[in-house]
Each structure stands twice: as structure tokens, then as C-alpha cells.
Amino acid sequence: MACCTHKDVVFEANANGWVPSGSRTALSQHQEHLARLPAAGLGHGHKPSGGYVLASDRDDEKDGLCQAITPGVLKRRVTYRVAGWISVAAAEEEIGHPVRVSIRLGDGACVVVDGGAVWAEPGRWAEIKGAFRLRESPRSAAVAHVHGAPAGVDVKLMDLGIIATDRKARFSYLKDKTDKVRKRDVVVKLGGAAGASVRVVQLDNGFPLGSCINGEVIQNPAFVDFFTNHLDWAVFENELKWYWTEAQRGQLNYGDADRLLDFCDRAGKPVRGHCIFWAVDGAVQQWIKDIGGDRDQLMAVVQDRIRGLLGRYAGRFPHYDVNNEMLHGRFFRDRLGDDVAALMFREAARLDPGAALFVNDYNVECANDPNATPEKYIDLVRQLQRGGAQVGGIGLQGHVSNPVGEVICDALDKLAATDLPVWITELDVGEPDVALRADDLEVVLREAYAHPAVQGVVFWGFMQGHMWRQDAALVNADGTVNDAGQRFIDLRREWTSNARGRLDSDGQFMFRGFHGTYVAQVTTPTGTKMLKAFTVEKGDAALVLDMDT
């Protein structure tokens, strides 16, 4: 992993510089036993010191520790990451608690910027890995504020720092990583044809990129043009969701989904199935809520939904998000028991065994949501698997702002331990300044493309006026491509391999190409042309393309 240099660290907390926030909060300094220290992580590129500050006698969630940041240190438009280690003092219940780092700006701390959050557990050190960016440079001293745990919970803090990201250095590192992860040596071979000219053209990249669509945008020629020319997959924004297909009980509407499927079939675009269920209360239609505590009746409509949707579309959707956002909602589990989540997966697998069944959630890659840590996501997957669920993939929604590559990579590394494919399923990068948006988009796409666990990225729209987040567009309302959209196109071009040359004395021509589909043309000195299509897939050994066979 590319580590920061000391010059990138703009703020390192002084153990003596912390002051309490809260009328009764008391601070004290301590030394952790070496055996209990975490391994070095994102932090500052070195091992934790062991020295920590304990905030005790806290009366409120806002109580904790504060330390001033020297005026002029934090600059506008620079992306910073917050790094350090946090724990909470052991309590009788031995449960974890959220702890947050905020950056308070201005006299009276009138502006508070989220610097990250972590789920801290007694007896264990958790690494905080948040990020932030300022719209304007602070006119007075900013303050780092550590808080968030419930009143009465003691908070421990070790080695907090704020680091200015070096995106150019990170991108250079990722290009080398990408070469190893997404490329393979290819040998074009033709006996007795030394000196023949070779031309290789890549037709498609093996890494899918897609977008959500809806019934309105497919009527927009500019949208359709960008979608068909630059994107490979689709997902329906709303048209497959239960509240859309059955807004009133028994009144089914699959016509909108059918029309979108027909559009994708004509365009040759596979479609993700989003979603069979949605776990968040606010996304559940009223008639389902009105069933109330009648468990049998609720289970019956859940079974009807699975049978109706997958019975109709079996074989049409390569992926399904089965029960969306289970880290943030428990509607069905609270009423039908925790086992219902695995049951949904089991039934979906029975009805459409060819579909990969995904979990799907937000904030997991951002390190700003204690309810959506990679560790909690992995625990959810393991619980489903213990219940017999055939979990086929992990979806990261990717609704991000001021992303930091090292933070994203850390989450991907942890999720990769499940041995499940990861997709970024709903990517939109929110930033009003379109030049910064382009840089932010590049951060996410390069991290995804360079990571071996990631198998695809799907945007949550791309056109101004037709997106959930309006400051994330790649294409303006008039159809012109903005800076962010051009950056995306440039990356797709960078990740395309075309090669020219001649067969050597052994009748071979070698190049290193990105995974995907190709066509090779060999023209002999006598003018004979030979054409062959082939696919470059993942592999350590060189792929030999014998033009004779």
C-alpha cells in the first residue's frame, strides 16, 4: 500500500494538547501494553505509539476531547484523511459504541465537518479512517473533536493525525497494481511467417461498467447515446422494486420493467435485478405495514413476492440484490425473525439458480458510518451463509463524497477475505465543483479497477437532471460531456489495449493486454490476411494465440 510521507501529515495530536469537552469530562494519559496494540494500518505509516488519552466522566454524546489545529494548516479543496486508533473502556455489557471525529471551524464552532467514525469495542483498538474536505480555508483555528459514544462511556484515543492525500503518488502506485491485476501477456503465433505484420484491437474490456436507467431517460437521445457507447450493464432505478411493481396489494405492474428489459435486450446490455426486498422501513409500502403483527400473512406476501418476481424473470437478471440495505434496516427480520433473510436467499436460489445473489448496502467503503463497517458487513454475510444462503456477491453502493483511495482499498481488502466478488453497484461521486468531481471519480474508479476482488462498477445515473444526486453528473442536461464524464472516457481508453508490430524470427509477437475480447489480424509478406477473435482472461501464464489453428 502506498504510505504517506511525514510531510503529508498536517496535524499530529499532541498528548498534552488535548482539552476536555463537556462540563465534567476528565482527561488522563496512559500507556497501552505492547501486546494489546494493533498492527500498523493506514495511520501515519508507522506503528502506534501505545500512549493514549482517556476521556472519562462524560455526560453527553458531544463530550470528549478537543485539540486546536494551527491556523493556516488546513487548505480548501484539499482532501484530508483522518487516521488514528480509538477504543472504549470495558463496561459490564461489553458492547461496542460509535465514536466520531469532527472538525469544528470558526469562532463558536459554527461549522462542523464530519471527519470519520468508527465502531469501537472494549478491549480492542479500532482504526479510524475518515476523510473530509473544506469549501473554504478556516479564518481562525480549527478544532479536532473526538466524541459520539453514549454518556458514561469512557473513550480512549491514540495517535490521531490528519493527512493531506497525495493522489498523484497513489495513482502511480495503482497503475502498477492494475497491470498485475487486469492484464496478461499474450503471444500471437504463426509458424513460418517471420516479419508478418500484426494488428490487435480490443473490442470490449472484461471489467463491466454500467448505469441505472428508468423509463424516462431511455426516451432521451443524449442519454441513450452515452449509455450505449460507453457502458456495458444496466440496473433499473425503481421499476423492479416491490413498491413499484405492487404499490397496491394484488395490483401488479411489471409492464415498466418489461419495457426496460426490452430496451436492454436491443442494446445488448445485461441487467442487475434491484431489488427483491428492501429492509429499510421507509422503503416499504403502506399496505405491507398495515399487515402489522400478522406473521403468517406477512410471510405469505413475502413468499408471493419471491415467486412472482423470480418466476416471471428467471434467467433474465444475472444478479439480484435480495434484501437491500440490511445494515441499515430490519423491517422483515423484526417481524419474521432473523432467519427470514437467509430464507429469501434460499428461495431466490431455488427459483433462479443461475443468478448471483447479492447483499447491497451503503457507506461501507467510506469509513464514516459505524453501522456499516466492513467488519459488520462480513458478519452479516457469514450469518446468511450459516442460514443456508447462497450469497453470490457483495454490493457496495458507492454514494461517496471526497473519497480517499487508501480508505476504499482498506475496505475492499477486508471484504475480499470472504472470497466473494465485489461490485460497486450504485456509484455517484457528489461534488459541486466539476473539476474536483472528476478527480474524485478517478479515485474511486482506479481503486475499483486495481483491486482483484472487484468485478464491476455500475453508476447510479450519469446525466444532469436525471440523477438522485444532482452534483454527480458526468453528462450535462444538454448532452455535453463534462470534466467528470471526460475523465471516465479517458480511463476507459487507458484501460484498452491495442497493439501493432511484426512477427519475430520465431514467428511470434507478444504484447500485454487488459482482460477482454479482441481480434487479431496477421498480414503475411505475400498479402495473405488471417483474422482471429480471442478473449484474454485472468491468468498468470501467457495466453498463446496460434493463428494456424
Side-chain angles (χ1 to χ4, degrees), residues 200-205 232 492 496-498 516-519 533-534:
V200 180
V201 176
Q202 184 170 3
L203 305 177
D204 290 297
N205 194 291
D232 314 304
R492 292 220 69 168
T496 301
S497 304
N498 297 315
T517 59
Y518 290 76
V519 63
F534 64 101

Side-chain angles (χ1 to χ4, degrees), residues 338-347 379-391:
D338 285 341
D339 292 344
V340 73
L343 179 146
M344 292 170 174
F345 276 81
R346 294 197 305 269
E347 283 295 287
D379 286 345
L380 173 64
V381 170
R382 299 301 189 210
Q383 290 168 20
L384 290 167
Q385 291 173 330
R386 286 193 294 270
Q390 298 179 24
V391 182

Side-chain angles (χ1 to χ4, degrees), residues 74-126:
L74 298 179
K75 309 293 185 182
R76 63 186 292 268
R77 295 173 61 86
V78 175
T79 304
Y80 296 96
R81 62 183 172 96
V82 176
W85 288 270
I86 291 175
S87 183
V88 292
E92 289 184 4
E93 65 271 23
E94 291 290 329
I95 63 171
H97 299 285
V99 179
R100 301 181 181 277
V101 175
S102 299
I103 311 301
R104 295 175 7 199
L105 309 171
D107 296 334
C110 55
V111 177
V112 178
V113 176
D114 179 18
V118 70
W119 185 263
E121 298 179 359
R124 299 178 62 184
W125 288 95

Side-chain angles (χ1 to χ4, degrees), residues 55-68:
S56 57
D57 299 325
R58 300 171 55 256
D59 285 337
D60 189 88
E61 290 184 0
K62 296 180 180 178
D63 294 350
L65 310 83
C66 289
Q67 187 165 157

Side-chain angles (χ1 to χ4, degrees), residues 1-6 8-12 41-46 69 74 78-85 101 103 114-116 127-133 159-167 170 366-367 402-408 410:
M1 178 179 294
C3 295
C4 65
T5 62
H6 188 77
D8 299 320
V9 181
V10 300
F11 170 76
E12 283 189 289
L42 293 176
H44 311 269
H46 58 66
I69 302 171
L74 298 179
V78 175
T79 304
Y80 296 96
R81 62 183 172 96
V82 176
W85 288 270
V101 175
I103 311 301
D114 179 18
E127 191 175 12
I128 188 145
K129 302 180 289 291
F132 68 93
R133 186 162 59 215
D159 301 347
L160 186 72
I162 296 175
I163 302 136
T165 58
D166 185 346
R167 288 180 165 177
R170 182 70 183 175
C366 297
N402 43 265
V404 171
E406 292 89 339
V407 175
I408 295 171
D410 180 69

